[in-house]
Amino acid sequence: MAITRRQFLKSGSTAAAGALLAPRLFGSSFVQDALAAIGNRYFVVLYLEGGNDGLNTVVPAGGVLRPWYESARGTGSGGLRLNAADLANTAIANDPNTGSALALHPGFRASPNGSGGAGDGGLHALYQAGKVAVIQGCGYPRYSLSHEDSRLIFQTADPSLSLYGGTGWVGRHLASAYAGQPAAIPGVTIKDSVARDFRQSATSVLAIRRLRDFSFPYDSEFNSTSEKNARNAAFNALHAQAQGGADVGFKYIGNTGATTLASTAAYPALHSLYNNNPTRNAFGKLYDNGTPPGVNRSTARDLLEVAKIINGTEQGMVNSRFFWVENGGYDTHSDQGAGATAGQHFGLHSEVGASLKVFYDDLVSMGVADRVCIMVYSEFSRRVEQNDTGTDHGSQGPMFLIGGKVAGGVYGNHPRIDPAQLDGEGNTRYRQNGSNNGFESTDFRNVYGTILDKWMAVNPTTVLTADSGDPTRNWTVPNFNMPLFVP
């Protein structure tokens, strides 16, 4: 069947999300270079879409912060206040600045299926095991309350939205580390398009929902083996021709098209590779199973896909090291709920906490937990004072790191929630360099830079650019040496 130039371009652009290190390449010097560039570690981003309410995530349970919290969060119908009974079993370390007692939302120790269900103990159990770093007060100067703008700022690590041409902060690292390696697929995003955190144009990132369903779009009416072979040969010839041309755009399409076509043959096999192993199969049921029930939530199912690819990388089938998953629903302007299990926020946190617990336990069983770092963030927090039954868009909130080599504990200062210190919209203020009576903020780029430096062994200044201006209001002195990892 003839393929027109327009059809080729359309197919090439569809395929441009990914590339593959096929098993036959693993003895080559090319692959050895790729392995040397990233080592044997993994990095997973979990994005909480919608603006997670940080004040009801890392919660003041005592000390000077507690009365301010109680004045902002109501009780009774629609009230969001988490009381002492709600927080009794989720204590974490005290706020480093005020000494106020802190706790996690009770949803972070629950399974969506109730006591004893898959992932029971959740994020709090991982914290108690010393595997979770809670990083308070993460934000940036002149914070935006627009979902789209703040999301872009976190994904590009650029509050000005003018420095990097829209490339993602992880993407800039991938572009540098994998430059000139068109067959590499260092990153996978578990969604329908490449996450902005990973965007760049020098190497390939695969966008996929489910491995078992990932395949080249053969014509369902002409799907014989001979027809598929003929189509593969035709597309490979077109890709080769594009790769050898002078046009930069055609070269890009040729490279990504060829490697993506190959990936549709290799990546689906990772589904069976995982499920055919009895130990992995047992864990798979904890993520997603009917009877007995697994976590059975989208976050768990997405992390299961990541686990399959990590298992496949460990088995030498592929070589993907960077992953991105998302959980939505955090735009809680109404019906947010407090500590009751039927509350919206409780459900979100129990889903995330239980999913991460199953995922981490799976990584331990694989023997790779010490080589995986998971970062959890949201585009902003919510306002300190609740609205009728929920919370409006806010400024600074917590981030989490999880992993076998993460130095567990509480870092950074809890945002100053004293009503006298809030801005005109009722949000906590971003401050740096000893200002705001010691309630300095944690610029989120310090977290990124520490990950780049300590986890990825990358010079952070190749990815991040410091601010200029007033050092009390801008990120002019980066700190890429946060003690977030153990040796």
Side-chain angles (χ1 to χ4, degrees):
M1 177 180 290
I3 301 174
T4 67
R5 178 178 181 274
R6 181 176 179 277
Q7 289 172 322
F8 169 61
L9 287 172
K10 183 178 179 181
S11 297
S13 64
T14 300
L20 168 72
L21 287 176
R24 61 185 172 80
L25 295 177
F26 266 77
S28 72
S29 60
F30 168 82
V31 172
Q32 296 304 315
D33 289 343
L35 291 172
I38 189 60
N40 65 353
R41 290 179 169 179
Y42 301 90
F43 181 59
V44 182
V45 177
L46 171 54
Y47 167 51
L48 310 182
E49 190 275 331
N52 175 48
D53 178 13
L55 189 56
N56 267 21
T57 294
V58 179
V59 189
V64 67
L65 294 173
R66 182 66 190 185
W68 296 335
Y69 171 82
E70 290 183 350
S71 70
R73 299 294 167 98
T75 58
S77 178
L80 306 187
R81 186 187 301 173
L82 295 163
N83 59 39
D86 295 324
L87 304 174
N89 298 315
T90 58
I92 57 176
N94 293 347
D95 175 44
N97 185 50
T98 67
S100 298
L102 299 173
L104 296 179
H105 189 287
F108 277 127
R109 70 181 301 271
S111 168
N113 298 306
S115 179
D120 197 27
L123 189 71
H124 187 252
L126 296 178
Y127 179 89
Q128 290 180 307
K131 307 305 179 184
V132 179
V134 179
I135 309 160
Q136 300 190 105
C138 297
Y140 55 88
R142 294 173 295 280
Y143 37 83
S144 172
L145 301 183
S146 159
H147 286 292
E148 180 65 17
D149 287 349
S150 195
R151 185 184 301 121
L152 272 172
I153 286 166
F154 267 89
Q155 291 169 335
T156 62
D158 177 17
S160 74
L161 294 177
S162 63
L163 294 178
Y164 306 115
T167 59
W169 73 280
V170 177
R172 292 194 292 280
H173 165 57
L174 298 182
S176 174
Y178 291 88
Q181 300 183 35
I185 181 166
V188 179
T189 64
I190 310 299
K191 61 177 299 184
D192 295 327
S193 60
V194 175
R196 285 169 173 161
D197 313 58
F198 284 23
R199 286 187 185 175
Q200 38 73 46
S201 58
T203 190
S204 294
V205 175
L206 186 66
I208 185 171
R209 276 293 183 187
R210 296 290 175 259
L211 289 166
R212 65 178 179 270
D213 300 325
F214 182 54
S215 64
F216 184 79
Y218 295 103
D219 191 328
S220 59
E221 295 182 6
F222 301 94
N223 61 357
S224 66
T225 300
S226 60
E227 180 70 16
K228 290 180 179 179
N229 290 340
R231 286 173 179 266
N232 286 344
F235 270 96
N236 283 326
L238 285 169
H239 294 146
Q241 183 177 9
Q243 290 166 341
D247 184 270
V248 174
F250 270 100
K251 283 186 175 181
Y252 176 74
I253 292 173
N255 286 331
T256 57
T259 51
T260 301
L261 179 59
S263 74
T264 63
Y267 275 81
L270 305 183
H271 171 76
S272 297
L273 181 70
Y274 183 96
N275 286 328
N276 289 340
N277 180 303
T279 302
R280 301 278 67 75
N281 184 267
F283 271 100
K285 292 178 180 178
L286 296 177
Y287 293 98
D288 184 24
N289 191 51
T291 305
V295 177
N296 282 348
R297 297 292 190 276
S298 63
T299 305
R301 287 187 280 269
D302 289 351
L303 288 173
L304 173 57
E305 299 305 298
V306 175
K308 292 173 185 176
I309 300 171
I310 289 176
N311 180 64
T313 297
E314 290 294 303
Q315 301 300 316
M317 299 295 291
V318 295
N319 190 28
S320 295
R321 301 283 173 173
F322 299 84
F323 304 93
W324 189 96
V325 298
E326 172 184 355
N327 187 44
Y330 292 86
D331 198 11
T332 52
H333 289 274
S334 62
D335 302 321
Q336 181 175 310
T341 58
Q344 184 179 183
H345 213 215
F346 191 103
L348 291 164
H349 284 337
S350 64
E351 173 180 346
V352 167
S355 299
L356 286 169
K357 179 66 165 59
V358 170
F359 181 57
Y360 185 82
D361 290 347
D362 195 3
L363 298 175
V364 171
S365 175
M366 286 187 209
V368 300
D370 285 356
R371 295 189 277 117
V372 178
C373 173
I374 307 156
M375 184 190 82
V376 183
Y377 82 95
S378 191
E379 69 262 37
F380 47 59
S381 184
R382 315 297 291 186
R383 205 153 296 180
V384 176
E385 185 175 357
Q386 76 170 82
N387 60 28
D388 185 21
T389 61
T391 45
D392 292 324
H393 297 183
S395 52
Q396 302 162 102
M399 299 173 67
F400 300 98
L401 293 187
I402 303 115
K405 287 294 185 179
V406 167
V410 175
Y411 300 88
N413 300 320
H414 192 283
R416 184 154 191 180
I417 58 175
D418 178 352
Q421 295 297 323
L422 303 180
D423 68 13
E425 295 183 303
N427 285 311
T428 59
R429 300 177 186 272
Y430 175 97
R431 290 290 186 269
Q432 289 288 294
N433 198 31
S435 62
N436 206 26
N437 297 321
F439 286 75
E440 295 85 8
S441 307
T442 302
D443 196 288
F444 77 97
R445 290 166 289 182
N446 282 339
V447 180
Y448 288 2
T450 298
I451 292 169
L452 288 163
D453 183 26
K454 306 302 181 185
W455 189 251
M456 301 181 195
V458 175
N459 181 353
T461 62
T462 64
V463 175
L464 307 172
T465 302
D467 299 335
S468 58
D470 182 352
T472 68
R473 295 177 179 271
N474 294 284
W475 186 62
T476 60
V477 184
N479 174 16
F480 300 144
N481 196 36
M482 298 181 71
L484 302 176
F485 298 99
V486 299

